[in-house]
Amino acid sequence: MRSVLCYGDSNTYGQTTANKPDDRYPHDVRWPGVLRGLIGSEWLVIEEGLSGRTTVSNDEIEGPEKNGRTYLRPCIMSHKPLDLIIIMLGTNDLKVRFNKTPCEIAMGIGALVTDIKAMPAGVDGKIPEILIVAPPPTASDLKEWSDVFLGAQEKSRALAREYERIAEAHEVHFFNAGLVVNSSDEDGFHLDVQAHRDLGHAIAEEIAAIGWPDQSD
Amino acid sequence: MPDMRFAPPPTVRVAEHPGGMNQVLARSFNERLIMSLLLQHDGMTRLQLGQESGLSAQTISVIVRALERDNLVSKGAAVRGRIGPPTTPISLNPNGAYSIGLHVDRHAIEATIVDFVGASVAQTQCNLTTFDVQTVRDALTGTVDTLLGELTGEQKSLVAGIGLAFPQRFDAEEEQEQAVLAYDFEKDLRAHSGLEVVIQDDVTAAASAETLYGQAKRMDDLLFCYASKDLVPRLILGGRIYTGSNPQISICDSQTWHQTARSLESDAAQDDLGVQRWIQQVVAKAADLVQDLGTFATVPEMILSAPVPTDVMDELVTRIRTEIPTGLSVTGSRFGPNALAIGAAIMPIQTRFTANTL
């Protein structure tokens, strides 16, 4: 049995597109659950999604627990040994309060990769495989969140390319979720049920494509 | 000074900024290694690439993405194996690169363009009325222009280079031959086309092409023979090509060969007496060669190439098989009558994209 950690924000947590706090899709609807349904016989799929999680920033409004960097280490240590860590973050870094360019958001992802590589969290003390997933761009209308995400529409469209640069520089796996899903028009930045299903299927394919030797080896 | 550990990463070679073939110059050894593997095996998963190359899964992932961006590989349809997860095999994209091959002979230039998987996409021929530097030079540049005219603008930007192949000896007067062999056609062609030019003797280039795209894929040790007026062998051991100092074995004189070559172009080539005599000579000489070779090296495979139609090649192969020991398997080249031009065309692909060196 292999294990994969899905480290993300509200779109990994499964926050619905309704503008209600803690309104979460059932476990088999959100994408890590879809993934579990597809590869669960061979993989332990660990869900670590937190609404509002950033890559590396302390959020003065939402609180320090949203910092994706400080929680990453204890999180990985609680779940290790891990074969694969999937990171899908960056949407919350688009908030205007953080004043980050797409390149800097990607550098935050790079910092997380560096932290993972500094920990022997893989099987037999190795470093786990790392898959960076670029979140899909936001919708054009961000409704009530327009001020919070001022300028995010344009910046979010540059994330995938910046993430790919970071993935290349750090030699890790990369997938652009924007190839298979869109943010919902309902609230502008969350995934709807169909998007969770599509993303789960796409991630399952990406995991398979990485190639995993037989475990008896 | 900022902390350089946190410098923004370098720009990747993104598809939006195509640099044509220029960017290919920067192909890392690992990328070449992966492309060499893909040349030898049609459709490999990332897992297989990792196992064969010894590179990590993440390195393979980065390389495959880079090759995908440059359209050098295409992902095959996902297949579901009976055991284990679905895997996505990766293959070379035939339209990812092109290459021009020019084979110069005493009487003509044979030319071809091959695609990235070694298939000929255009051919032309140019007769040489006289044999001097000026004529050969004009014919070469004219032929390159003709071939490039067959390609679309986009395809032209994907031409990896020009391979130029000469025989070791021309069937010409000594003075003319020396003048042509001494002249730097590479420089002229490079200046004329702006493309990289690679030069090699014709049979070595053809033997090398066999190891990359032809019948000798995945074979490390073999005997390659090209038969026309002479039987020209190349011994390949451990993937390296060896040329003897006096490698030609005469099959017939040049006049007889010219007649035979004309007969070979006719429909009933096999029934022609001259052709039959030539076949007999090739078979006899090839058998002798195998016997001589057997005294100091054993190779499991012999590949025969010749400017002959398929039925004549089949007869040659069948007859050689009966004349030699059973431990050696004999195969005809798949490149057909244009093998020398195709061999020339494959040289730039080999030097630019693979980890093998000529």
Side-chain angles (χ1 to χ4, degrees), chain A residues 15-17 25-26 28-31 34 181 184 190-200:
Chain A
Q15 177 71 39
T16 70
T17 55
Y25 292 124
D28 54 343
V29 172
R30 47 196 193 242
W31 77 259
V34 175
V181 295
S184 165
H190 284 126
L191 301 178
D192 63 20
V193 170
Q194 184 62 44
H196 273 276
R197 191 177 306 144
D198 293 345
L199 184 58

Side-chain angles (χ1 to χ4, degrees), chain A residues 42 103 107 117 127-131 161 164-169 171-174 205-206 208-213, chain B residues 6-14 16-17 46-47 51 57-59 61-62 65 69 75 78 84-88:
Chain A
E42 287 159 29
C103 172
M107 286 166 75
K117 287 190 169 178
I127 295 163
E129 300 287 321
I130 301 167
L131 170 61
R161 193 199 297 175
E164 187 162 10
R165 279 173 69 182
I166 280 287
E168 187 132 321
E171 289 219 337
V172 294
H173 305 290
F174 167 77
E205 290 233 329
E206 287 303 306
I210 287 170
W212 303 88
Chain B
F6 301 106
T11 312
V12 293
R13 291 166 302 210
V14 283
E16 296 109 278
H17 308 288
R46 285 200 252 165
L47 178 63
Q51 284 167 341
Q58 318 209 80
T59 304
S61 181
V62 168
R65 276 205 311 278
R69 275 198 299 270
K75 265 191 190 171
T87 48
T88 316

Side-chain angles (χ1 to χ4, degrees), chain B residues 5-286:
Chain B
R5 283 177 303 156
F6 301 106
T11 312
V12 293
R13 291 166 302 210
V14 283
E16 296 109 278
H17 308 288
M21 281 292 117
N22 292 337
Q23 39 186 297
V24 175
L25 281 175
R27 293 265 160 240
S28 69
F29 180 79
N30 285 344
E31 284 179 339
R32 289 161 170 266
L33 189 59
I34 295 306
M35 281 190 281
S36 301
L37 286 170
L38 291 172
L39 281 167
Q40 281 166 0
H41 312 261
D42 190 34
M44 287 179 85
T45 63
R46 285 200 252 165
L47 178 63
Q48 288 167 331
L49 286 172
Q51 284 167 341
E52 292 280 323
S53 66
L55 298 173
S56 78
Q58 318 209 80
T59 304
I60 299 286
S61 181
V62 168
I63 290 174
V64 168
R65 276 205 311 278
L67 298 179
E68 274 175 351
R69 275 198 299 270
D70 290 341
N71 278 320
L72 292 173
V73 300
S74 38
K75 265 191 190 171
V79 289
R80 209 170 268 276
R82 275 190 300 157
I83 311 156
T87 48
T88 316
I90 297 153
S91 313
L92 292 179
N93 172 17
N95 305 317
Y98 297 89
S99 180
I100 294 175
L102 303 164
H103 176 244
V104 182
D105 212 339
R106 164 64 188 85
H107 298 283
I109 292 171
E110 292 279 352
T112 188
I113 298 183
V114 297
D115 66 17
F116 199 29
V117 295
S120 184
V121 294
Q123 289 138 26
T124 185
Q125 195 192 12
C126 176
N127 290 322
L128 298 171
T129 44
T130 55
F131 194 67
D132 54 61
V133 167
Q134 186 66 39
T135 313
V136 173
R137 189 174 62 185
D138 293 348
L140 284 173
T141 50
T143 306
V144 167
D145 291 343
T146 309
L147 282 177
L148 285 173
E150 303 273 325
L151 297 180
T152 65
E154 198 205 337
Q155 288 174 323
K156 272 186 207 142
S157 71
L158 298 174
V159 174
I162 298 174
L164 188 57
F166 285 3
Q168 285 195 319
R169 299 289 311 269
F170 284 103
D171 189 16
E173 281 169 38
E174 174 110 18
E175 205 178 313
Q176 293 175 323
E177 178 180 62
Q178 287 308 321
V180 168
L181 284 176
Y183 189 78
D184 189 356
F185 293 104
E186 284 168 273
K187 198 172 136 208
D188 282 1
L189 275 176
R190 201 174 288 131
H192 178 78
S193 64
L195 293 165
E196 197 66 32
V197 182
V198 187
I199 190 161
Q200 180 61 271
D201 93 70
D202 53 4
V203 178
T204 300
S208 181
E210 293 290 343
T211 66
L212 201 63
Y213 288 109
Q215 299 288 22
K217 263 185 183 187
R218 287 181 238 181
M219 274 183 246
D220 278 341
D221 302 331
L222 69 123
L223 175 65
F224 175 83
C225 289
Y226 189 83
S228 57
K229 173 176 145 332
D230 302 308
L231 185 68
V232 190
R234 292 289 181 270
L235 183 60
I236 303 178
L237 291 175
R240 286 191 64 118
I241 303 172
Y242 294 89
T243 312
S245 56
N246 185 16
Q248 260 108 320
I249 300 162
S250 178
I251 300 289
C252 58
D253 60 44
S254 24
Q255 208 184 345
T256 312
W257 169 244
H258 288 311
Q259 283 166 1
T260 311
R262 262 197 302 278
S263 308
L264 280 166
E265 283 168 19
S266 71
D267 287 340
Q270 251 178 313
D271 304 330
D272 182 88
L273 263 178
V275 171
Q276 277 303 324
R277 249 196 312 275
W278 178 80
I279 291 175
Q280 203 171 345
Q281 278 298 308
V282 173
V283 172
K285 295 285 163 76

Side-chain angles (χ1 to χ4, degrees), chain A residues 58-132:
Chain A
N58 282 325
D59 193 322
E60 303 289 326
I61 295 170
E62 299 188 30
E65 66 271 24
K66 305 292 190 187
N67 186 323
R69 191 173 197 176
T70 50
Y71 182 64
L72 182 67
R73 269 181 74 84
C75 176
I76 288 174
M77 288 164 100
S78 340
H79 295 299
K80 71 179 184 181
L82 292 163
D83 293 277
L84 171 66
I85 299 176
I86 301 175
I87 303 174
M88 186 169 82
L89 285 171
T91 304
N92 291 300
D93 296 65
L94 294 165
K95 287 170 182 163
V96 71
R97 73 184 71 133
F98 298 115
N99 192 26
K100 289 187 202 174
T101 63
C103 172
E104 283 181 303
I105 297 173
M107 286 166 75
I109 297 286
L112 300 181
V113 171
T114 307
D115 287 359
I116 295 170
K117 287 190 169 178
M119 300 170 68
V123 178
D124 297 331
K126 285 187 283 209
I127 295 163
E129 300 287 321
I130 301 167
L131 170 61
I132 293 178

